[in-house]
């Protein structure tokens, strides 16, 4: 049995679809999980979805993924802009890491323009709405089938 892809979501993403739809759209994280799980299945991939508001939980899941997963898709949310600890955890992973942001962080406040995670990510998907997660699943399927 091949290893799953960990899809790790940071603080406040549990509010997706419930608040600020003009920025983040109407889909909930549950909707995203269902759509991506179906898409992943078509590509013979299995997903495990996670969300936490706590930085240490995100780090624990990344460390768990080093042994248990074939890759990580991560939206670290606001920790993207602040957390060297999450960057360090991702740097300890030797499989593909894809970073997703629902909104276009480059069109928003200057403090959102830089993500520490992008220094490690093998790809970054920004401003494609919640479809960004689907694009990341497709890219992960391609990277894994190419053996990268
Ligand atoms: O665009 C993204 O995906 C972000 O990672 C989302 C983060 C934000 O801090 C980043 O700068 C960009 C915020 C996630 C919070 O999501 C909410 C959803 C609905 C209502 C309130 C917050």
């Amino acid at each position: 049995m091949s290893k799953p892809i960990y899809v790790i979501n940071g603080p406040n993403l549990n509010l997706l679809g419930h608040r600020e739809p003009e920025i983040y759209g109407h889909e909930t994280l549950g909707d995203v999980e269902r759509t991506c799980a179906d898409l992943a299945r078509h590509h013979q991939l299995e997903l495990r979805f996670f969300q936490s508001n706590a930085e240490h939980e995100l780090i624990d899941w990344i460390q768990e993924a080093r042994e248990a997963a074939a890759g990580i898709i991560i939206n670290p949310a606001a920790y993207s802009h602040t957390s060297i600890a999450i960057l360090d955890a991702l740097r300890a992973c030797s499989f593909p890491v894809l970073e997703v942001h629902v909104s276009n962080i480059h069109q928003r406040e200057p403090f959102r323009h830089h993500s520490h995670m992008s220094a490690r990510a093998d790809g970054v998907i920004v401003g494609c709405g919640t479809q960004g997660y689907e694009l990341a699943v497709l890219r992960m399927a391609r990277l894994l089938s190419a053996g990268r």
Side-chain angles (χ1 to χ4, degrees):
M1 186 78 174
S2 55
K3 293 177 176 178
I5 308 305
Y6 276 28
V7 184
I8 299 176
N9 293 281
N12 298 308
L13 284 164
N14 53 310
L15 299 177
L16 265 189
H18 299 290
R19 292 281 191 80
E20 302 190 57
E22 66 287 356
I23 299 176
Y24 299 110
H26 290 279
E27 275 201 303
T28 67
L29 204 57
D31 296 331
V32 172
E33 179 171 358
R34 278 184 289 278
T35 307
C36 286
D38 286 348
L39 181 61
R41 216 170 295 120
H42 276 94
H43 292 269
Q44 289 77 50
L45 293 178
E46 185 202 336
L47 302 185
R48 285 196 60 194
F49 244 76
F50 303 86
Q51 189 278 326
S52 178
N53 296 328
E55 187 177 22
H56 70 92
E57 279 204 287
L58 304 178
I59 293 166
D60 287 346
W61 289 327
I62 294 166
Q63 290 193 9
E64 178 184 304
R66 293 176 68 235
E67 298 299 326
I72 287 179
I73 295 170
I74 186 163
N75 183 347
Y79 287 136
S80 313
H81 318 300
T82 62
S83 178
I84 306 298
I86 294 177
L87 171 63
D88 286 344
L90 290 173
R91 280 200 191 280
C93 297
S94 50
F95 47 51
V97 173
L98 297 174
E99 178 182 358
V100 173
H101 295 285
V102 175
S103 64
N104 183 350
I105 55 175
H106 304 291
Q107 280 182 346
R108 300 185 65 191
E109 305 95 320
F111 60 81
R112 295 186 202 274
H113 291 183
H114 180 259
S115 166
H116 292 292
M117 311 308 144
S118 304
R120 166 60 185 88
D122 297 293
V124 183
I125 297 164
V126 164
C128 297
T130 50
Q131 191 191 6
Y133 289 90
E134 296 169 51
L135 299 173
V137 169
L138 291 175
R139 180 66 183 158
M140 185 62 74
R142 175 72 65 88
L143 290 173
L144 293 177
S145 72
R148 270 175 268 158

